[in-house]
Amino acid sequence: MATERTFSILKPDATRRNLTGKINAVFEEQGLRVVAQKRILMSKLQAETFYGVHKERPFFNDLVSFMTSGPVVVQVLEGENAVAKNREIMGATNPANAAEGTIRKLFAESIEANSVHGSDSPENAAIEIAYFFAGLEIVG
Ligand code: UDP
């Protein structure tokens, strides 16, 4: 397995409850390295573009409002098999279905306010990383 990078967001429900450090500790304990990180206020256009694949879904407008409701921490995580590994560490979208020990089981408030985003494929990871980070901001 090769070293890989994935894109991650600590969502507004996580920053509001001061969970940045606790969530990063889970990543680090499980072998993912935070190689880029910044705290931003996502604009409506950025959120709409980022979640564009969901624009016909009933939850889209609420999701955009949620993602722009407070600061987020955008990150690049690096490690062996990082995309799939992060999806495992995050747990299911709905915290009610998330496995014990996953970030969403530990911290998520609801199916919407579920604390973290993680890329679902290496192809999307590359697109999402390039959307938020310049190459020089990523230090592996
Ligand atoms: N979401 C929601 N309601 C739903 C499904 C998803 O509010 O019924 C939100 C939730 O914040 C989720 C995001 O939309 O993380 C993107 O959904 P996706 O199905 O891509 O889930 P993920 O890849 O984040 O697990």
Side-chain angles (χ1 to χ4, degrees), residues 11 51 54 57 59 63 87 90 93 104 111-114 116-118:
K11 296 186 180 183
Y51 280 120
H54 293 309
R57 307 281 288 278
F59 59 82
L63 177 60
R87 297 290 297 187
M90 289 163 54
T93 308
R104 284 168 167 170
I111 191 170
E112 176 181 81
N114 59 5
V116 282
H117 164 85

Side-chain angles (χ1 to χ4, degrees), residues 5 9 24 27 36 39 51 64 83-84 93 102-103 106 113 125 139:
R5 286 177 176 171
I9 306 177
N24 278 349
F27 292 144
R39 182 173 165 105
Y51 280 120
V64 169
V83 173
T93 308
T102 61
I103 289 170
L106 287 168
V139 183

Side-chain angles (χ1 to χ4, degrees), residues 1-6 31-35 76-85 122 125 129 138-140:
M1 265 182 283
T3 299
E4 190 174 67
R5 286 177 176 171
T6 191
L32 292 178
R33 186 182 302 276
V34 181
V35 295
V76 180
L77 307 178
E78 185 178 273
E80 292 293 308
N81 211 16
V83 173
K85 182 177 235 178
I129 289 169
I138 305 167
V139 183

